[in-house]
């Protein structure tokens, strides 16, 4: 008998997969919701991807409603088809199950973080063959998700591919496990080695010099946006994935939506002028999807309350689908 | 004696051409309004371009106020000069007459469509040497305008150059003559052959797989945005025009403003992330203007009520002027 | 005894330089405010850059709240670090002093302009070795700032590098010293020779043909955005600076924020579709900063009340910091 | 065996009633969704209120996205408790079932209207003891809902209490069954007598004189907002309900959200300055709920896409809950 | 032969009065535009009201786009009927002619003010029996309009009824003829006696104590909003009109839209919390219209660029129509 | 020698009191900033009111940027004069010192709360004769401020006058010290007796029935908005103050801005339709100011990032000034 491993989750309203019944399916007709009343009858062996919402943003340095993002992304699904025309990839053969949201506490941030760690650990232990795709929330959750992953796989070496405008290496002592400190947290705790972190997209005046010095000392790899454009962002992504693949067992992809230019991602609270374009980001993420070592992904720091024209929520949804396109292509090779 | 052929039209407030009286004329001082009380005295032989508004958007799949676009574009004229600096082309030698709007019914969409078809047929019959430039409205009008054109020229073969994020090949049976079905409508009715449709700009997750299959079966030509950028959008446009020019008598250019990236055209209700930039679109449209086979043009699916900073209405106005720049250059060759 | 030369200035709330006290300084902790009660004790010899706000926009052709820009830029400083990661340049060795705002009259525009001219003249006379960086305000102030500069240095030849969507050559007779006429004003008065003006960024339908004719007759140099992109904006900027450097004693850089595409700079009242991207502008301005002949700079026509997501105010702040990056690099060579 | 009477309906995502499981239930935990897979097992005899969404607004004279209102209201439920503090009324004893949305066609407005009429007729025939509460959509649906009601109860006399800024008596001939004509439609068809219509809330310059003349000739009762405030809106509502109760078998309450002042209901496309305040509307609707003859209700012309701060969607939700408060009080008497 | 007295005016696009041709006329079909090419054939004796736009707001203390208000009001006319339902007053018997806008200079505010003064003087001299209704623009224009009126009628005594949140008594010496000084200007110049100014609507913390002292010394009458509500705003308006009527030959009504609460008139740049409601303002202005001594009116300080939902522009239009309702009622007595 | 008691505070940029130097002072020229470098020389005996910012909102149940409110209120001061015209009260004789902000931790909410408690305790101990006026932040801070007050005055009985749409009695166990639980916290801890809490302004569907039951059992007094309007809000406020004055030593006034109607206070994240008007709130707060027992005040739950037209920030500023008007009047009696 199967056991339902997610007693903690808060399920979204229930939805069947009806994509097969219509000629022009939309994403919300394809992705299933876990039915909490029949969850323990789920055949997990056929599940390819588990999707998890983490509605936490009170750990952000600046005020953020990124906690509202998981639901915003779910609502945006009805504007997308599960078919990538440019790559001629149909996603519907993938079975993606939306597990709902990790429960959060209103005033106990440490408890929120514990729940997040437990949720990732539970997923890895109960059905390790599924791919966990996490929709945040702010960047503080990445440290917790990786720690949960490490608890489930203590002997595995995990590397990080980070698309971000920031190092996220701010002082853990000063800020605690906030959205400015996850990489510092993971490097200082030894969960991830500095040399196993590859950050692509840094630019402008948005990181203190002391953080760059820390990165250099820790051996963190980074390619600024200007450098990446000169070499070709695709080339840089591919090389980073290749190098990581040679060193680590699993690559964790973390996409901070503030890597986007502020006019391309106005809903990312810390987005800045001079950032990445969405078409660059979509292609980078699709490439990451094709790499067989990439074993988990999160998408963070998207605040729907600040969005303009729904552009950033749509971009976030596109990022998730672009990654799954690569994930399909990975299997087709 | 001349006869005024447009009893149906709802004229905008009357305006004289006063561009010659000022040293820095604006577009609204150059384009004339048809004076309804003296319309039958108009010397049509000197008119180069007739401009027609089609304020219909209740045929849109999603709610849209694209019906307010013709007036929004007219109001934006005062922010533009009729002189293209980059091409050193002065538009004022062209005589452009604004005929006003095709009347629409509030609840009888079929009647609206009849009026639109009649308006195009009337223009073609009464002064076939003028160029009809139509400001929509949603994309459903394209099917009607082309059908009107075909009724006036039943023996001519008409091809379509479509700049769009979508195929517009959705099921006519399910949706009727909506903004998602005009190309399907024209292909299924035989008014246009599948092989005479060239669609440029498709991308992302915005067309069901079944529509791509339909396009392939119908022989429709399409180049996705990613492909087009690889080959050069200019090259792709030129080649499409060349091939169409060899096959058809007239090319109809239809510009769905949702081909733009959602951050470049926030006022296009169906614009998406990862779309075209305005500078790419302006150049594509200018090139189309230079092609002597291009015999009519429409601009659709721009909802001013959703616009941000007026950017999309200004982009729509620029598209119209970029096309006329090419139209002037066509004559100068 | 030193004398405080700025009796007219309205100082912002007073702030010490505390950047040295923190590990991750922000720009507002680095730039000092002139303390009005101890101003005459300031050691001007150690000051590298004086920053001046000019809150005037009632001289704009269209309504503009660019008068609110100096304060908006100051408030945005706290979102930026004084460290440019891509260039690995730390700005904190520079001593930048914010002098406050030039006082403006509510209904006497000529008096406003006199104050602005006097302020620049005073800065040049009292401590000519500091670099004046001016935050406007609308473009009418450029004529006054240059005239003030010329009064202080009557024998020096001054050239202008202008990044703009417009010529700013409209009729001085018709408009007076407005934001559409500063270059005309300077050329007609003889303060600057036509051949010493280099304008980069013109595009589209935003300049009357008669203004282009005037520019040609006056010998003004200009490169449209399309041309500049073809040749490489960097190349065009470098060549313009080289040519100007050979002719003039000092180059004045004026950045009209409406050179940006309307979706990249929605807060620039006259921004248009088809304009420059922020990353292009930042690099152009940084290059100007590296040129040792560039002796003053202004940034104009940014209306924070029209901004979207704070994108344009942040872009304006970035322009200022990008320039200072080049300014540091100039010294490092 | 029971039969599921709603083959046409498009169900929202499925939700159980979990209000009993929590100490602070919200409205979305109390209102049940009809589960389409077990719908025919529903015990209709225990259902008090059936809630129906009608996502139609392409029949609006001006462009409107009121079609998005049913879902917007549903999403707003989570911000409301089912407990009215001021009246000390707990709504949870009521069983309210959300049937989902009446299907709409994209281009065949007549088909949409047929579906709406059939839906009301079906509800009345299959379980006439439940109270139908309809969330529109635009005001054109009221004519169809009343016609459906009349088909189910051809021998019953139905009167209308209308809260509106407009008469909705525009020419049926000119506009067809649009949102400006429902009352004209019902009066001209004889479904409702002019004397059985009571309109409260008219004001300002928003009805042509000819419509007032029509109303007078048809014997329609109306009290302008100024008159109503002088006499007390409560008094006017009570008197209207009393008079109607003496004449008719059933009173149909129709609430056009544009009765609100434009600053109180910015999301009502036709709201105007000088209209009703929300507290006045809530009390008026609650009073209507207490009247035992009121047998159905609709709420129309709320366009969430135009809303500001979500104020109008929240006001619409409050209107629905205020009515149900009266409905509970009706039973408690 | 009649002579056209307005060589200076910039006419809006030309429009015929077609209100008689339709059953449900709108305001824009009723108000005529002066046709500049046939203006000298106008029969002025039949004109009741001349409407004048004054697009000046560069004289505002804070940045304002009230210069865009005359056109915004004209565009809003199509949302209003010329029939006041609550008063049962049909406005169409009035002949209202829109003269267009007084030309403004971009940088010479004194010249703008001269033009405004001349325009009023011209209207009074050429057809003194028409009622001048002026749409601003900022409040600085009131001083100029009254001065123009006085030049035409030097022997007449003019009083002012002012609806405003401010005294507008700020120092003429410090600000010049700005929007904060018109009443000070008129009192100090002797054009209007302090005792002939009645200000209703002052409240809160928006006037310096020194201005209240000035008002007291000048004998200006004022009733704060709180006082007015206690006594009944209607009563206060009537009493003010009565007292003024006994003293002066003509009453000039000036409505500063910032008298409205900031949430009722968000487009008035200086609107504040705690202000008047629109229904109070509409009734106050209607009452003023009924007073036979009221001989001119202006409406100022409405910036459409700051408006929310178009609420303030609609309120401004309603103010104008409410006044004309009273004007009709004045004649009916 | 005096000792500076606030080592923790983060001072705003320094500002002198210059109100005496100008004829029309604004609030920002009147309120002093504590100069951190000379703070220990302050003569506290002449200070009437100490103003404290508490930029904490990560303890809000829903996402909120109320942490940005203290600075937003400070920036709004320049739009207000320190003179209440309606009450003829000049505030400048009061000495108000802005102490700056209580430092907050990014992820340790308990530490934030400790700092807040310490700040109030410190103020009460070091200069108990000054009146502490606190600008939040969210409502969680009220529990901490009151606890700090109680630590300084353990033998005094403190009562609360609460203006709020909510009871703030949600489960402390479930939510912790969040913005929904402060009153529950204080009642359960025994810091305040249930009978000493008076809540005015509750309405609608925004409190669960179980909370009303808790309030009844705890003996908390409350008057709903509907009841209060029937009896006169002024009367209710006066009676509550009278009853509290007889029972307690000190009354603590807490103003949750969500007591306002959502259209009057759009920036209060939990504001709802059917709430209080600003004029009602201003008068209620002024009355509280006149009561000699009122010994402290806070203003909470105002999120400037959600504001519309700056209306709520201005209303918050007005609340603070209205209270100080009553505070002056208290002294004048």
């Amino acid at each position: 008998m199967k056991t339902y491993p997610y007693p903690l989750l808060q399920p979204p309203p229930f939805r069947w997969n009806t994509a097969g019944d219509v000629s022009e399916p939309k994403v919300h007709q394809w992705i299933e919701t876990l039915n909490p009343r029949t969850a323990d009858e789920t055949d997990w062996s056929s599940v390819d991807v588990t999707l998890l919402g983490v509605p936490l943003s009170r750990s952000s340095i600046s005020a953020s409603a990124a906690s509202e993002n998981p639901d915003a992304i779910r609502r945006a699904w009805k504007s997308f088809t599960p078919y990538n025309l440019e790559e001629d990839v149909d996603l519907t053969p993938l079975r993606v199950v939306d597990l709902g949201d990790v429960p959060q506490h209103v005033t106990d941030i440490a408890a929120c973080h514990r729940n997040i760690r437990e949720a990732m650990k539970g997923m890895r232990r109960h059905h390790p063959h599924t791919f966990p795709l996490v929709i945040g929330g702010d960047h503080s959750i990445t440290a917790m998700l990786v720690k949960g992953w490490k608890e489930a796989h203590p002997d595995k070496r995990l590397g990080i591919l980070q698309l971000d405008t920031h190092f996220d290496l701010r002082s853990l002592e000063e800020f605690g496990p906030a959205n400015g400190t996850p990489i510092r947290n993971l490097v200082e705790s030894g969960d991830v080695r500095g040399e196993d972190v590859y950050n692509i997209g840094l630019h402008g005046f948005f990181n203190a010099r002391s953080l760059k010095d820390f990165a250099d000392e820790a051996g963190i790899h980074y390619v600024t946006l200007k450098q990446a454009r000169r070499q070709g962002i695709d080339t840089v992504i591919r090389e980073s994935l290749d190098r990581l693949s040679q060193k680590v067992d699993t690559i964790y992809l973390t996409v901070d939506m503030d890597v986007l230019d502020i006019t391309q991602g106005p809903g990312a609270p810390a987005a800045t002028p001079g950032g990445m374009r969405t078409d660059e980001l979509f292609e980078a993420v699709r490439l990451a999807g094709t790499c067989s070592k990439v074993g988990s992904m999160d998408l963070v720091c998207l605040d729907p309350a600040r969005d303009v024209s729904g552009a950033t929520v749509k971009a976030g949804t596109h990022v998730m689908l672009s990654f799954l396109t690569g994930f399909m292509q990975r299997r087709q090779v």
Side-chain angles (χ1 to χ4, degrees), chain A:
Chain A
M1 199 200 88
K2 292 174 197 108
T3 307
Y4 174 49
Y6 302 121
L8 286 174
L9 293 184
Q10 294 170 324
F14 181 57
R15 218 166 20 213
W16 284 271
N17 179 335
T18 58
D21 305 343
V22 292
S23 62
E24 301 183 21
K26 299 289 186 174
V27 169
H28 72 294
Q29 294 169 314
W30 155 56
I31 294 180
E32 304 167 48
T33 306
L34 188 71
N35 185 333
R37 304 211 171 170
T38 60
D40 54 0
E41 298 158 22
T42 302
D43 174 13
W44 290 101
S45 68
S46 68
V47 177
D48 299 294
V49 175
T50 46
L51 196 141
L52 195 66
V54 182
L56 173 69
S57 54
R58 62 188 75 244
S59 34
S60 296
I61 295 175
S62 309
S64 161
S67 54
E68 298 173 11
N69 184 45
D71 270 358
I73 295 267
R74 286 178 182 117
R75 275 202 302 277
W77 288 345
K78 69 175 188 293
S79 302
F80 290 80
T81 66
Y83 173 67
N84 185 319
L85 182 74
E86 277 157 319
E87 300 290 325
D88 194 16
V89 167
D90 185 356
L91 299 176
T92 54
L94 280 182
R95 187 169 175 214
V96 180
V97 176
D98 180 1
L99 302 179
D101 287 347
V102 179
Q104 306 295 321
H105 192 274
V106 172
T107 50
D108 185 345
I109 291 175
C112 300
H113 281 161
R114 264 195 311 277
N115 291 353
I116 297 165
R117 220 160 58 201
E118 286 302 314
M120 178 58 99
K121 188 167 70 176
M123 284 197 292
R124 298 312 303 155
R125 288 216 174 131
H126 287 285
H127 28 77
H129 64 286
T130 65
F131 182 95
L133 196 165
V134 182
I135 308 293
D138 69 46
H139 222 161
S140 78
I141 71 172
T142 300
M144 303 307 140
L145 292 163
V146 169
K147 283 172 187 286
W149 193 95
K150 288 287 289 186
E151 284 172 357
H153 309 293
D155 303 333
K156 301 288 185 180
R157 183 168 165 185
L158 182 142
I160 290 178
L161 179 62
Q162 178 184 7
L163 303 176
D164 206 335
T165 285
H166 306 93
F167 278 119
D168 289 350
L169 291 171
R170 302 183 78 171
S171 162
L172 195 60
E173 213 171 320
E174 184 180 348
F175 295 99
N179 67 336
T181 63
I183 305 303
R184 176 85 160 243
N185 191 341
L186 291 170
V187 169
E188 288 190 345
S189 67
D191 287 304
V192 178
R193 303 184 195 177
E195 57 166 309
D196 293 349
V197 176
Y198 284 70
N199 186 324
I200 296 161
L202 298 158
H203 62 96
F205 300 88
F206 309 107
N207 293 276
R209 183 182 196 161
S210 56
L211 303 186
K212 189 256 186 187
D213 294 342
F214 182 95
D216 287 344
E217 281 161 33
I220 288 170
H221 304 268
Y222 54 90
V223 185
T224 68
L225 186 52
K226 205 187 274 186
Q227 290 171 309
R229 279 178 173 156
R230 252 186 239 126
Q231 301 169 39
I233 295 181
D234 294 9
T235 308
V236 169
I237 294 284
R238 275 185 226 274
E239 283 178 13
S240 303
L241 290 166
D242 284 354
R243 286 179 198 157
L244 270 170
S245 293
Q246 287 159 21
K247 290 192 282 189
V248 304
D249 298 296
T250 297
I251 301 171
Y252 185 101
L253 172 67
T254 181
V255 181
D256 189 322
M257 291 296 286
D258 70 22
V259 75
L260 289 175
D261 189 88
I262 188 170
T263 67
Q264 293 264 297
T272 59
M276 212 178 262
R277 293 193 311 274
T278 51
D279 62 311
E280 293 172 330
L281 178 59
F282 299 159
E283 184 60 10
V285 163
R286 187 190 65 76
L287 282 171
T290 64
C291 171
S292 60
K293 279 281 178 82
V294 173
S296 188
M297 174 200 179
D298 66 37
L299 183 160
V300 298
C301 287
L302 196 175
D303 175 352
R306 294 182 192 235
D307 208 358
V308 177
S309 312
T312 319
V313 170
K314 284 186 180 165
T317 308
H318 203 299
V319 162
M320 169 190 141
L321 298 175
S322 293
F323 179 84
L324 293 176
T325 301
F327 191 78
M328 276 299 284
Q329 290 172 323
R330 173 200 305 193
R331 302 176 147 210
Q332 287 161 352
V333 179

